[in-house]
Amino acid sequence: MTGLVPVAGAVLALTFLLGPPASADPALPPTVPAVPASDRKALAMLEQAAKAARSTAYEGVQFVSRWSPDGTTSMLVDIQHLPQDGTLMRVRGTSTEPGGEVFTASGGQSAGLSDTSGGPVELLARNYAVMTVGTGSVAGRRAVIVESRRRDASLAGRFWLDRQTGLMLRREVFDSRGATVRASAFIDISLGNPSFTGHLPPMLPEPWRARVAASDLTGLRAAGWECPDRLPAELARYDVRRADDGAGPVLHSSYSDGLSSVSLFEQKGRLDIRSLDGHREERRGDTTVYVKDGLQQSVVWSAHGTVYTVLADAPQETVQAVVAALPHEKVESGVVARMKRGFERVASWMNPFG
Amino acid sequence: MSHLGDRIAALVDGELSHDVRDRTLAHLAGCPECRAEVEVERQAKSLLAGLDTPLPSAELTRKLLALAEPGPPMPPSRRPFPGGFPGTERPPTLTAPRRRPANVPADRRRPAGRSNRRLRIVTVGALSGFAIVMGTAFVAGGAPEEPGPPLTPPIDRYRVEHAATVGGMPLMDPAYATTFGGSSQTVFSPAWPSQTVSPIGAGAGITGAGITGFPSR
């Protein structure tokens, strides 16, 4: 019986020394469940897929679709990729969206992940558990299926990776309820050197050159710029740039969780609603935002002297959470508040000194 | 019992025409009753001529003065002096009460009606004015104004910038390429974006007062 006391003491001491299990993301509070460990093979395959996108010559046709409560948008894209030269993408027009084309040169300055360590696969693994789940077939080619799951084990994304080259052939994104919200896949693909026939379209421009270093952000925030480090749900900022378009400086912050990407643009001023093209007004609680749907959703509003623009390739629920997390200005509604504003305005018009 | 009736007063006042006066005088020569009545009338006239002109009562004076105050135009059917304006008419005589309805007290009817009407008009006017003021306030109090100049975010350019940063990320779908629809070709003009902005780096433009080029709120 007396031998149990030192054993118990040793167990307690070990418990205190080892502490709780290390979280995959030390920045999160300890009450959030850790991301389950990822499958090493799956991570390696995703790294291979990232390399193959640059180094494999191919041409094919992809469909891209987005599902939201407001409807479905789909597009067909002809893609040609030459490792030394670049990627040519031709979007086939539909009845509602015009076609277009863009050329991305190889070796161009990529956004990179200046604020985060590692690459995009590392970013994915930080937010999701990645594992291989089986095999499948896309456009006649055999593929390995890799899944990414959230902390609560719900499915977030699925990738079909070509068994021969590792190239990503198909990609699906799911919302928290398990519904497919985004999908893209090759419906036709052939490997080998395509030839760029005809005149190349305009090149995808380099992003704005003026990158903002993390050390500058304190000063920016003191000057009233938001530029949050993170956005819901797991979006981490990986790039900040600024430019000046004549109406004043613009700050562009880029966010990703490895699956979705969101851009936040901030500019000082107040929104001129009448000139917004194709956006519908949406009332969310006490505030009003302006939304345009499509494969990419844009949400615009202004609050406290800043115009916010969110561009998102993300599920609807992610976009709504992002917009809600940013500053808004309450609009007092109701007849009494409106008439009070009206009296103040009329008084200011009549005041010769105002 | 009078053979001559009104002609007695007219004879005394000298208002009969020659022919009628001759016939009347001829009748008086043979009729002692009418001669007596003419004598009474002559005595009453001389008695009245000896009296002072009666002044109008204070009540009548007040009403006459009230007529001179500005007020809403009276409808034609309710003019108090159908025969003309005050001052151009003979002073009120014993025959005046005949012009008013016999069964209604003279001094209460028209002034009460006029003040009721005025009150109604004032009330309607006030209510209308109030409604106009409240309506103007409601219309003017639309969306609350925010500080700063009005601006339109160049969303097409933002889409290109978003594509330029996302394009560098593998494992994303090519949706960003769909930004480049036919209308987006114009964003590739050399004037955009201002690539001459100097990069903000460590020690460049960061002071305690804020970052160069970024306006403080």
Side-chain angles (χ1 to χ4, degrees):
Chain A
M1 197 59 182
T2 53
L4 283 176
V5 172
V7 171
V11 167
L12 277 172
L14 277 172
T15 308
F16 279 119
L17 282 170
L18 293 174
S23 165
D25 190 343
L28 287 172
T31 52
V32 176
V35 174
S38 290
D39 182 347
R40 281 183 192 277
K41 186 185 169 200
L43 287 174
M45 295 205 68
L46 286 176
E47 294 277 6
Q48 175 62 26
K51 285 199 190 102
R54 289 189 296 272
S55 60
T56 308
Y58 64 87
E59 67 181 319
V61 181
Q62 271 206 28
F63 80 84
V64 188
S65 291
R66 177 177 180 261
W67 289 266
S68 74
D70 305 305
T72 312
T73 317
S74 290
M75 289 230 161
L76 279 179
V77 186
D78 293 287
I79 306 181
Q80 287 179 303
H81 176 72
L82 272 176
Q84 309 318 322
D85 297 321
T87 312
L88 171 61
M89 283 187 269
R90 282 202 180 93
V91 180
R92 296 194 197 171
T94 66
S95 57
T96 51
E97 300 268 355
E101 50 190 14
V102 71
F103 177 72
T104 313
S106 292
Q109 179 199 12
S110 71
L113 292 161
S114 55
D115 279 4
T116 61
S117 59
V121 177
E122 175 78 24
L123 183 60
L124 189 72
R126 200 176 303 146
N127 297 313
Y128 303 101
V130 180
M131 59 207 74
T132 54
V133 294
T135 58
S137 167
V138 178
R141 298 187 67 85
R142 290 168 67 191
V144 176
I145 305 176
V146 171
E147 282 185 352
S148 57
R149 287 187 178 264
R150 301 186 187 90
R151 287 162 216 277
D152 61 1
S154 61
L155 183 60
R158 207 179 258 152
F159 307 92
W160 281 251
L161 307 177
D162 184 53
R163 280 187 77 159
Q164 181 188 343
T165 60
L167 198 64
M168 190 170 73
L169 299 175
R170 184 184 176 99
R171 177 182 185 270
E172 286 175 2
V173 179
F174 305 87
D175 67 10
S176 58
R177 286 183 296 272
T180 311
V181 291
R182 213 169 171 90
S184 63
F186 278 101
I187 58 176
D188 180 39
I189 184 167
S190 57
L191 302 183
N193 285 352
S195 56
F196 292 142
T197 55
H199 181 64
L200 282 177
M203 199 179 311
L204 177 68
E206 298 288 337
W208 294 336
R209 265 196 236 120
R211 288 174 94 149
V212 175
S215 53
D216 302 340
L217 290 175
T218 317
L220 277 176
R221 293 202 182 109
W225 303 83
E226 275 301 310
C227 195
D229 292 329
R230 302 184 73 88
L231 284 173
E234 305 290 352
L235 295 164
R237 194 191 60 236
Y238 67 89
D239 193 73
V240 186
R241 289 164 193 265
R242 60 161 284 201
D244 198 317
D245 75 340
V250 182
L251 199 66
H252 170 203
S253 314
S254 302
Y255 298 83
S256 179
D257 64 352
L259 267 186
S260 303
S261 58
V262 171
S263 276
L264 170 65
F265 295 86
E266 299 174 64
Q267 192 170 12
K268 295 298 178 195
R270 65 181 163 89
L271 184 59
D272 187 2
I273 299 162
R274 292 161 300 177
S275 57
L276 270 184
D277 193 23
H279 287 69
R280 64 168 196 279
E281 186 179 319
E282 249 187 47
R283 194 135 173 91
R284 296 191 184 174
D286 286 341
T287 66
T288 301
V289 299
Y290 300 88
V291 181
K292 186 171 183 182
D293 274 318
L295 271 181
Q296 187 178 89
Q297 198 176 41
S298 75
V299 186
V300 189
W301 74 98
S302 61
H304 308 294
T306 302
V307 175
Y308 297 93
T309 306
V310 168
L311 296 180
D313 301 317
Q316 178 90 336
E317 61 186 14
T318 304
V319 183
Q320 289 192 330
V322 163
V323 170
L326 290 163
H328 289 270
E329 195 156 356
K330 260 195 197 178
V331 172
E332 273 178 50
S333 64
V335 175
V336 173
R338 183 170 175 155
M339 289 175 65
K340 185 177 155 211
R341 278 199 300 272
F343 279 125
E344 283 164 8
R345 266 190 208 149
V346 172
S348 73
W349 297 339
M350 285 162 55
N351 180 9
F353 304 106
Chain B
M1 196 180 69
S2 167
H3 304 135
L4 298 172
D6 291 339
R7 274 180 285 175
I8 293 177
L11 175 70
V12 168
D13 290 335
E15 291 171 357
L16 292 175
S17 63
H18 288 291
D19 290 340
V20 178
R21 190 185 61 176
D22 288 340
R23 284 201 293 274
T24 305
L25 287 172
H27 174 79
L28 283 175
C31 182
E33 292 99 302
C34 290
R35 276 204 301 273
E37 279 184 30
V38 169
E39 191 57 34
V40 167
E41 190 70 27
R42 277 202 184 112
Q43 281 174 7
K45 181 177 174 183
S46 67
L47 198 66
L48 282 171
L51 290 173
D52 289 335
T53 307
L55 292 172
S57 67
E59 180 64 16
L60 182 60
T61 307
R62 185 188 65 76
K63 288 174 202 167
L64 289 171
L65 287 172
L67 285 173
E69 290 165 15
M74 304 287 280
S77 62
R78 296 185 61 188
R79 255 187 258 278
F81 295 96
F85 290 103
T88 62
E89 205 180 342
R90 286 179 300 160
T93 64
L94 291 173
T95 61
R98 281 189 210 143
R99 293 176 194 248
R100 296 204 183 93
N103 60 344
V104 177
D107 55 357
R108 280 219 298 267
R109 184 176 157 88
R110 273 189 209 105
R114 198 181 322 129
S115 70
N116 269 349
R117 182 181 159 68
R118 191 173 294 156
L119 180 67
R120 211 178 305 155
I121 286 161
V122 165
T123 308
V124 168
L127 280 172
S128 306
F130 182 74
I132 288 167
V133 165
M134 298 308 254
T136 304
F138 186 81
V139 167
E145 269 171 18
E146 298 162 23
L151 70 90
T152 310
I155 298 181
D156 281 345
R157 290 161 51 175
Y158 289 172
R159 286 192 196 274
V160 175
E161 179 62 15
H162 173 76
T165 50
V166 170
M169 295 268 284
L171 308 182
M172 293 293 166
D173 61 32
Y176 68 90
T178 60
T179 296
F180 303 95
S183 60
S184 298
Q185 297 302 314
T186 53
V187 302
F188 294 109
S189 62
W192 176 92
S194 168
Q195 297 285 6
T196 59
V197 171
S198 56
I200 295 179
I206 316 292
T207 64
I211 294 182
T212 311
F214 277 76
S216 302
R217 247 205 254 160

